[in-house]
Amino acid sequence: MHELEVLDRVLPFAVLLLPLCGFVVLSLFGEWIKRDKEDAGAGYIACGTVLVSFGCAAWTTARLYGLAEAAPGLPFSQPLGFEWIEAGGFRVPFSLLVDPLSSVMMLVVTGIGSLIHVYSLGYMAHDDDRPRFFSYLNLFTFFMLLLVLGGSLPLLFVGWEGVGLCSYLLIGFWYRKDSASAAGLKAFVVNRIGDVGLILGMIFVYHSFGSLDLVDIADNSGALAPEKLWELGPVTVACLLLFLGATGKSAQIPLHVWLPDAMEGPTPVSALIHAATMVTAGVYLVARLGPLYHQSATAMLVVAVTGTVTALMAGTIAIVQNDIKRVLAYSTVSQLGFMFLAAGVGAFGVAIFHLYTHAFFKALLFLGSGSVIHAMSGEQDMRKMGGLRTRIPWTFWTFLAGTAAISGIPFFAGFYSKDEILLGALTTGHTVLFGIALFTAFLTAAYMARLLFLTFFGEFRGGHEAEHHLHESPWSMIGPLVVLAVGSVVSGYALFPGPAGGLVRLPEVVHPAFRLPPEAVHPVGWLPAVATLTAIVGILVAWYLYLSMPELRASVKAALRPALRVFEAKYFFDDVYDGFVRRVVVGGSEALLWKKVDAGVIDGAVNGAGGVAAALAQTLRPIQTGFVRHYALLVLAGAVALLSYLLWS
């Protein structure tokens, strides 16, 4: 076998296993590596493994598209050489799937993950638990790569559960804080609810179609009979169950409540979970199974409607938040809704396109917020900020690029991907969803401009002591911000080598993975202008209320008070869930399971058996006199009775 062919088969596993090796080393020797409080050895090991993994991913992708010196192309699926699960006729090999879709995800996870690792060197420089933190980051990266490279649903599920475990560890990293521990537990529990749907979906897929291999599912989905709207056939049921898992991982209603509370973790964790990795897993799952979803009109509509409603609700909540990281958290929920809208209208490539651009500008915004918090000595309330653009200029200009990208300003990445989502909804006849998405784009520009103005413009409102400590972040933090700012500009119109040759846009690059006919694109000439105008109006409204005429905010709030109460209460989801858990789960368990079933039935049966035995013993007790003559008489009577019976017989 040619040396390059051997390398082709080895490198995908190197991409996967290098972060795992970093985790093992840091777990076993992390405290020994950290010789003193300022030593960054653990961070260098973690960063090195992920950076080398990114290099291997880049080479693998280059080989996939024929950019390297040898012949182009990689095997579609790379088996490791043994059966991972073998039980009767049920077989699951350990195989990695390397195709245009997984290669894009692999680059995003390792590329953005590398920048977050480097940023963490500065952000966590004074934390005594750095080895534990970086070991968790490495383990998270390994499981996320396993999720996107797994060649079957069971292998994908291992990565799926792994990132859930790591999110619990990372969100609750500062476990001495009760709020951090509670947030980690909340994320873990809510994700388990969605995972029940994913498990049932996998069982149903295997029962109905006889395979859990992703390539088999994609290749054979086209032969299935399409199911019409509201027809609950096997395809629809399987897709809806799998989508339940996606709603939990990607924070769609009604399982979105864990993600804003995840802000209790360190800021690099927020960027890692909310930008390019864990929360996009649900979008990746739906896109990966796009050929199957395409056969069910009901499932596609449910995905589109759920994404649109989630985007709108999260946008309205974000506009009333005062914590800088919570604004970005609800923004993530909203942007994930846009991705599901694209997938639900059949534009799977566009959904991955927005996932790709979102990774750059959302990682930039989260890491930029971390730089602001670093400058503010831990303060996260935007009402105590202001005027920071001259104090932390590098953070400001990079943050401005991220804000322009997510708002949909032309020539920034978000403009191109969001415009294609709106185009997909409009051209497929989902006019209502298009209108809601366009209004949500207005909200996005408004709440992001509000965040920018409250944080970086006006007068500083944090007090003299906080102002005295304002300082720009170190270059280990600023460097990743600059790289992500560049990505937030160029990623929207970057061209890639197409599978059939030539340079094409990202949606065309990943489209072959969906096994669907080429998408017929019908541009709508007025749409880019309307989308741009919508974003500009949103920014102008925020400028008018927060910079030009701030005294008007009180009257606007008074006029919108009923709606604002709902937004501030986050549509009462947490209250409803809290009431349900307290009254139904806890209260019902106490009243029914404990007092009636446990104490009444189970304890009653045990105590009743004991009572019968005690009563019987009390009845028989008089014959136990303790006198030998009585026992001898009883023995004699028994012998006479037995002898009489034998003689009579």
Side-chain angles (χ1 to χ4, degrees):
M1 185 180 293
H2 195 278
E3 291 181 0
L4 282 177
E5 294 178 353
V6 174
L7 199 61
D8 290 343
R9 295 186 177 276
V10 170
L11 281 184
F13 294 101
V15 173
L16 177 66
L17 296 177
L18 277 167
L20 181 63
C21 293
F23 163 74
V24 172
V25 170
L26 292 177
S27 298
L28 296 177
F29 308 109
E31 290 302 319
W32 179 81
I33 293 170
K34 189 187 73 172
R35 300 177 184 275
D36 56 62
K37 289 187 177 181
E38 301 300 323
D39 185 59
Y44 293 144
I45 291 174
C47 292
T49 55
V50 180
L51 283 169
V52 175
S53 178
F54 172 67
C56 295
W59 173 264
T60 300
T61 304
R63 288 280 294 154
L64 182 66
Y65 293 115
L67 295 182
E69 54 191 86
L74 284 176
F76 193 84
S77 185
Q78 301 212 68
L80 188 60
F82 66 88
E83 295 290 336
W84 176 42
I85 300 175
E86 186 174 0
F90 180 69
R91 297 173 180 270
V92 179
F94 191 101
S95 61
L96 301 187
L97 179 58
V98 181
D99 72 338
L101 176 57
S102 62
S103 65
V104 169
M105 295 297 298
M106 179 172 58
L107 287 174
V108 168
V109 171
T110 55
I112 302 299
S114 297
L115 293 173
I116 293 171
H117 275 70
V118 173
Y119 178 94
S120 300
L121 289 174
Y123 192 87
M124 302 296 290
H126 303 293
D127 195 294
D128 290 339
D129 285 334
R130 287 191 306 279
R132 180 166 62 91
F133 177 79
F134 281 106
S135 70
Y136 290 168
L137 286 188
N138 271 186
L139 185 63
F140 185 98
T141 305
F142 161 73
F143 278 123
M144 190 64 203
L145 287 169
L146 183 63
L147 191 157
V148 300
L149 289 174
S152 63
L153 281 174
L155 196 56
L156 178 149
F157 182 72
V158 173
W160 188 279
E161 291 299 292
V163 294
L165 169 64
C166 293
S167 69
Y168 167 75
L169 297 173
L170 287 167
I171 294 168
F173 177 75
W174 288 319
Y175 57 86
R176 294 180 181 87
K177 289 172 55 180
D178 291 340
S179 57
S181 298
L185 184 60
K186 183 177 183 179
F188 191 81
V189 171
V190 173
N191 274 276
R192 297 293 75 71
I193 297 172
D195 292 349
V196 171
L198 182 57
I199 294 171
L200 294 176
M202 289 194 298
I203 295 172
F204 202 88
V205 166
Y206 183 77
H207 177 73
S208 301
F209 311 120
S211 176
L212 292 174
D213 185 87
L214 292 172
V215 177
D216 290 344
I217 295 173
D219 287 340
N220 299 323
S221 292
L224 300 173
E227 296 177 2
K228 299 178 181 179
L229 192 61
W230 312 128
E231 181 183 348
L232 292 178
V235 175
T236 300
V237 173
C239 289
L240 292 178
L241 287 171
L242 293 169
F243 182 60
L244 177 59
T247 59
K249 197 67 74 182
S250 291
Q252 300 295 284
I253 59 169
L255 300 179
H256 66 286
V257 293
W258 68 269
L259 192 142
D261 289 357
M263 296 299 99
E264 293 292 339
T267 298
V269 172
S270 303
L272 189 67
I273 292 177
H274 300 153
T277 52
M278 175 176 165
V279 294
T280 59
V283 180
Y284 169 76
L285 176 66
V286 173
R288 171 59 73 189
L289 298 176
L292 189 64
Y293 276 86
H294 195 263
Q295 300 301 105
S296 171
T298 303
M300 294 288 281
L301 182 62
V302 169
V303 172
V305 171
T306 301
T308 306
V309 174
T310 301
L312 176 62
M313 290 178 59
T316 56
I317 297 173
I319 209 162
V320 299
Q321 298 297 307
N322 295 312
D323 185 306
I324 186 172
K325 287 175 65 176
R326 283 187 176 267
V327 175
L328 297 176
Y330 281 107
S331 169
T332 299
V333 177
S334 184
Q335 296 304 306
L336 290 166
F338 274 103
M339 298 175 203
F340 279 112
L341 168 60
V345 299
F348 298 107
V350 175
I352 298 301
F353 184 29
H354 195 56
L355 183 156
Y356 168 75
T357 59
H358 176 265
F360 286 97
F361 59 70
K362 186 51 63 68
L364 170 60
L365 291 170
F366 268 115
L367 297 183
S369 71
S371 183
V372 171
I373 295 167
H374 180 81
M376 293 288 298
S377 302
E379 181 59 63
Q380 297 184 197
D381 193 333
M382 296 184 298
R383 294 170 295 184
K384 299 179 181 178
M385 299 178 187
L388 298 183
R389 71 184 187 280
T390 59
R391 311 297 181 89
I392 46 175
W394 283 98
T395 301
F396 166 68
W397 287 108
T398 54
F399 202 96
L400 180 63
T403 302
I406 194 174
S407 299
I409 301 301
F411 308 112
F412 288 85
F415 169 77
Y416 299 95
S417 55
K418 193 175 294 184
D419 185 67
E420 293 212 22
I421 294 173
L422 296 172
L423 177 65
L426 183 63
T427 56
T428 53
H430 296 84
T431 309
V432 174
L433 300 184
F434 164 78
I436 296 174
L438 188 63
F439 179 70
T440 305
F442 160 79
L443 289 176
T444 302
Y447 66 67
M448 287 306 304
R450 170 181 177 265
L451 184 155
L452 188 75
F453 296 149
L454 284 176
T455 304
F456 294 100
F457 289 82
E459 299 295 327
F460 185 73
R461 301 177 296 275
H464 178 73
E465 183 67 23
E467 187 174 16
H468 177 71
H469 289 93
L470 287 175
H471 58 285
E472 185 62 277
S473 300
W475 274 104
S476 60
M477 296 170 63
I478 295 299
L481 295 182
V482 174
V483 175
L484 290 169
V486 174
S488 298
V489 178
V490 303
S491 61
Y493 50 83
L495 297 176
F496 302 86
L503 295 178
V504 297
R505 296 163 59 257
L506 184 66
E508 286 76 32
V509 170
V510 299
H511 186 76
F514 307 131
R515 311 294 204 280
L516 298 173
E519 298 176 6
V521 180
H522 304 288
V524 179
W526 52 265
L527 184 56
V530 169
T532 302
L533 182 62
T534 300
I536 293 174
V537 170
I539 294 171
L540 289 177
V541 168
W543 174 82
Y544 190 73
L545 291 177
Y546 289 91
L547 290 182
S548 178
M549 302 286 288
E551 62 274 9
L552 290 179
R553 289 209 305 270
S555 58
V556 172
K557 285 183 178 179
L560 299 176
R561 176 48 53 191
L564 292 179
R565 282 200 191 98
V566 176
F567 302 158
E568 290 167 353
K570 298 169 256 189
Y571 290 87
F572 303 100
F573 274 97
D574 283 301
D575 296 328
V576 171
Y577 290 160
D578 185 66
F580 175 79
V581 170
R582 288 179 183 274
R583 296 179 184 178
V584 178
V585 178
V586 178
S589 298
E590 180 179 338
L592 178 63
L593 297 179
W594 172 31
K595 293 184 177 178
K596 292 193 180 312
V597 177
D598 190 13
V601 178
I602 299 175
D603 288 353
V606 174
N607 295 334
V612 170
L616 182 61
Q618 190 68 24
T619 303
L620 298 176
R621 183 176 181 181
I623 68 174
Q624 297 292 331
T625 63
F627 295 110
V628 176
R629 60 180 179 273
H630 290 171
Y631 300 148
L633 183 61
L634 288 175
V635 171
L636 178 61
V640 170
L642 180 61
L643 182 60
S644 301
Y645 171 75
L646 292 175
L647 292 175
W648 179 79
S649 300

